[in-house]
């Protein structure tokens, strides 16, 4: 059962934001359709909402697992031979520096394995050739710079150059994942702050994880009030957020209430608090996903999650106006988090079944396809 | 059934071109044979046409799928232990820059997986080490340069150097694939324009895709009237070509007529318009390939196609004078496109059968061999 802690289950204040967001998506989609010179947009058309929403209505006795799987099924688009490259999702990961190259790769390749058409990584030059070598499927842009490679007098010029490179692509992205393997170099984080501002101006959703959370915890204004932002903190990152925003310690007794307050205080961003059960709130409701995953805690699983949430969130935005979606939230960021968490757990469980203690993040990524097919089968 | 929109099914004007082209191939082959010190050239000898062309004649009731598969079978050479390295195809991909490394790899490795003996990539220095790392099977030349790494006063010197490096190899190539992951750097595109001119002077066929299409759409003279050029535009690239050449919008009602006009207006180049069904025209006839592929639209599939067309086109040139080839075109570029499109679709279908939503371009490449064996079995 999806747990709902209702403060306000209506969508008054937010609905305008969603409408705005939807209009932005719609404008981009219409632009794409005009460019393509075709009239149709599959049966996933956000105007006509023709997609059959089978199995979305929950019987009160349905299991929690069935509920979250229904969300995943409801937002996953029908595969349609009439669609064109990019229409099933174009995701960008901002991360990857001299030290970290695995994390952005995990996030970006997970997006593709779930069904996105295109997956980009924006990283430093040092990281780029390594990330490219992991997989020819990714488009890797070696454009970020760290302080050690930039003279003080060149900083403002280089910052503009970095922004220019990202802005060239911004309108084409359905979601940015900010943080996997980002590191904490001050100049690099300055650039990323600006990228977040530009994404926000363009109404592009952002999923923030890892060092991206370090950045925004120190500068909450970057995301505050942005309803298309998702934060995915682990235990420590959540602790710092709670201390910074609510000026108190994490309270596990009233975990749901505290998460709700936190999301509300950051102006209605969506927070996915990772744990034994994942708790998700947008400041209006709280949902939880607790289907069994795996007891392995190898590094990199959070990156799979951030990439997954990005794809599902993009898909959910395409059907957010669907009146038949009888789950407790129509907020695409909530739906994206529920589906991403569900798939990640299912894949981790499958991988662990096979590899036990030896399970690594790449094993889990290899199980994303089968997990998706189990939950949402393509004939 | 292969659809034929006959304006003129004869080969009057073109036949001299083919004879010239065939002579060039013949000269190169004879050179190879002389170098190797052997007298024979398998039963695929273009002089004697000894290869048995089983199953090429179409009964009027034959299915479309059988027809296009017959084309593929007809042009695929018999494997003969007497043949030597290079005789089954030596392909070069011109592409790969700071941003893109996957696309040229996909095109080049696909050529090998289909049966070419040698596959080269000419790319920038940044891209080369990454592309080399994807596979030890490829020969990768780090010779292209982008503007950011070249001073204005050095440009003409470097351009000559680049051309010299490609020219050293030109006579040995059976086909160039120009465009996968090329990028749009102006200096790099200047170099590629010159490479196209040299390929044309040497009668080497060219398949143009991706950013190569951006280049030639802005400078049609590069390919206009060159009967050994194949363009493989996707929806957007086709739209720009139609606007530029025919000064109108894409007309899906009269798609075949429009494609025919377009190919004719560019002086008889062959155009493979990618879509739900692939439409192919050389300005004289229009063929279509619509056997079912896959509904996944992940990036990179166009690169497989360009590499495939390059190999089949090379093979088709070796048998173009075969009188037994009773299909509606004997133009090797048409035959290459039909076979390439057929194989790509078959491989995509096999990969999707197994990987469903999780299908990536590398999965499709892994199915090229089995697809070819299904259609054209080697005992």
């Amino acid at each position: 059962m999806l747990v709902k802690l209702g403060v306000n289950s209506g969508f008054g204040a937010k609905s305008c934001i969603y409408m705005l967001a939807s209009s932005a998506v719609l404008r981009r989609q219409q632009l794409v359709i005009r460019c393509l010179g075709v009239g149709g947009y599959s049966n996933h058309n956000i105007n006509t909402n023709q997609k059959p929403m089978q199995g979305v209505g929950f019987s009160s006795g349905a299991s929690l697992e069935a509920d979250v799987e229904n969300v995943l099924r409801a937002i996953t688009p029908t595969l349609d031979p009439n669609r064109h490259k990019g229409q099933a999702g174009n995701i960008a990961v901002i991360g990857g520096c001299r030290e970290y190259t695995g994390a952005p790769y995990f996030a970006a390749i997970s997006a593709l394995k779930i069904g996105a058409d295109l997956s980009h990584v924006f990283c430093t030059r040092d990281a780029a050739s390594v990330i490219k070598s992991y997989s020819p499927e990714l488009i890797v842009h070696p454009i970020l710079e760290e302080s050690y490679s930039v003279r003080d007098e060149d900083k403002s010029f280089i910052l503009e150059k970095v922004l220019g490179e990202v802005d060239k692509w911004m309108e084409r992205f359905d979601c940015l994942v900010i943080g996997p393997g980002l590191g904490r170099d001050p100049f690099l984080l300055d650039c990323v702050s600006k990228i977040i501002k530009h994404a926000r101006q363009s109404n592009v959703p952002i999923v923030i994880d890892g060092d991206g959370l370090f950045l925004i915890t120190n500068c909450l204004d970057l995301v505050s009030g942005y309803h298309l932002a998702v934060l995915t903190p682990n235990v420590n990152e959540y602790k710092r957020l709670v201390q910074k925003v609510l000026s108190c310690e994490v309270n596990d007794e009233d975990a749901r209430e505290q998460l709700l307050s936190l999301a509300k205080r950051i102006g209605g961003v969506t927070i996915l608090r990772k744990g034994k059960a994942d708790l998700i709130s947008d400041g209006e409701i709280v949902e939880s996903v607790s289907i069994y995953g795996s007891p392995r805690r190898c590094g990199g699983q959070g990156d799979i999650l951030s990439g997954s949430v990005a794809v599902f969130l993009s898909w959910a935005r395409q059907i957010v106006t669907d009146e038949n979606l009888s789950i407790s939230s129509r907020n695409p960021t909530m739906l994206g988090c529920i589906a991403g968490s569900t798939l990640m757990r299912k894949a981790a469980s499958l991988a662990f079944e096979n590899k036990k203690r030896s399970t690594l993040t790449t094993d889990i990524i290899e199980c994303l396809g089968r997990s998706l097919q189990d939950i949402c089968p393509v004939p």
Side-chain angles (χ1 to χ4, degrees), chain A:
Chain A
M1 196 180 62
L2 283 173
V3 183
K4 175 175 167 180
L5 259 192
V7 171
N8 171 13
S9 65
F11 290 89
K14 266 190 184 178
S15 56
C16 343
I17 303 287
Y18 298 156
M19 290 307 286
L20 277 172
S22 296
S23 322
V25 173
L26 191 53
R27 276 200 309 277
R28 282 214 300 278
Q29 285 170 345
Q30 282 170 342
L31 177 71
V32 169
I33 292 164
R34 278 202 306 276
C35 293
L36 297 173
V38 295
Y41 186 64
S42 86
N43 61 359
H44 217 211
N45 193 309
I46 63 167
N47 289 318
T48 54
N49 298 315
Q50 290 163 341
K51 189 183 179 226
M53 306 299 295
Q54 295 138 336
V56 178
F58 300 152
S59 66
S60 58
S63 72
L64 183 147
E65 186 159 349
D67 284 358
V68 293
E69 290 186 357
N70 277 339
V71 170
L72 191 155
R73 269 189 288 275
I75 62 178
T76 300
T78 309
L79 283 168
D80 179 342
N82 291 315
R83 301 187 88 185
H84 302 291
K85 186 171 74 176
Q87 288 186 308
N90 191 350
I91 306 297
V93 177
I94 315 287
C97 61
R98 195 162 54 156
E99 277 173 320
Y100 305 113
T101 50
Y105 163 75
F106 290 143
I109 199 78
S110 297
L112 283 180
K113 294 265 182 181
I114 291 167
D117 287 341
L118 294 161
S119 195
H120 296 245
V121 176
F122 290 83
C123 60
T124 66
R125 217 177 320 159
D126 290 332
S129 52
V130 177
I131 299 172
K132 283 169 187 283
S133 75
Y134 292 147
S135 167
E137 315 276 359
L138 305 177
I139 301 164
V140 183
H141 307 258
I143 58 145
L144 299 180
E145 298 277 359
E146 292 181 81
S147 303
Y148 72 85
S149 65
V150 181
R151 289 182 309 179
D152 279 350
E153 59 268 35
D154 294 336
K155 281 185 173 165
S156 73
F157 165 72
I158 290 187
L159 193 147
E160 288 308 316
K161 208 172 133 207
V162 168
L163 274 176
E165 291 285 339
V166 180
D167 281 349
K168 277 198 297 196
W169 295 87
M170 189 68 89
E171 283 290 313
R172 301 187 223 180
F173 292 135
D174 295 296
C175 189
L176 301 188
V177 181
I178 293 176
L182 195 59
R184 295 189 177 182
D185 179 78
F187 177 68
L188 193 149
L189 292 185
D190 276 354
C191 293
V192 173
S193 300
K194 293 280 196 303
I195 293 172
I196 293 175
K197 285 178 186 164
H198 284 215
R200 205 171 160 162
Q201 282 159 12
S202 303
N203 264 318
V204 175
I206 48 178
V207 177
I208 300 184
D209 190 42
D211 293 318
L213 289 169
F214 168 81
L215 170 65
I216 66 102
T217 303
N218 293 328
C219 186
L220 283 162
D221 284 349
L222 285 172
V223 294
S224 188
Y226 187 45
H227 293 264
L228 291 171
V230 173
L231 319 183
T232 54
N234 62 19
V235 179
N236 285 324
E237 290 153 354
Y238 187 70
K239 187 180 170 193
R240 283 196 292 270
L241 258 180
V242 168
Q243 288 170 338
K244 180 73 186 281
V245 178
L246 301 179
S247 307
C248 65
E249 292 304 312
V250 172
N251 175 354
D252 280 325
E253 298 293 303
D254 292 315
R256 289 164 188 279
E257 289 290 1
Q258 192 174 49
L259 178 63
L260 194 75
S261 308
L262 185 65
K264 195 182 287 182
R265 283 283 285 277
I266 314 179
V269 300
T270 295
I271 302 173
L272 189 166
R273 179 193 172 181
K274 294 181 276 196
K276 191 177 166 193
D278 290 342
L279 284 181
I280 306 159
S281 178
D282 58 1
E284 299 204 350
I285 57 168
V286 181
E287 311 273 11
S288 76
V289 178
S290 59
I291 64 168
Y292 188 68
S294 139
R296 273 288 274 147
R297 293 289 174 264
C298 52
Q301 295 183 60
D303 307 309
I304 303 180
L305 182 68
S306 62
S308 307
V309 169
V311 177
F312 285 114
L313 151 52
S314 309
W315 288 347
R317 281 189 92 201
Q318 298 184 355
I319 57 155
V320 77
T321 56
D322 195 314
E323 295 300 327
N324 296 318
L325 191 62
S326 60
I327 51 176
S328 50
S329 172
R330 285 214 201 98
N331 182 351
T333 53
M334 288 292 293
L335 300 173
C337 286
I338 293 166
S341 167
T342 303
L343 186 71
M344 166 65 206
R345 282 164 176 263
K346 179 96 176 172
S349 149
L350 283 182
F352 186 75
E353 218 172 272
N354 186 28
K355 298 282 186 122
K356 305 295 182 190
R357 288 179 194 277
S358 192
T359 308
L360 300 186
T361 296
T362 39
D363 300 317
I364 301 174
I365 290 171
E366 279 315 300
C367 291
L368 287 170
R370 199 180 122 203
S371 307
L372 194 55
Q373 179 66 6
D374 282 355
I375 302 174
C376 185
V378 176

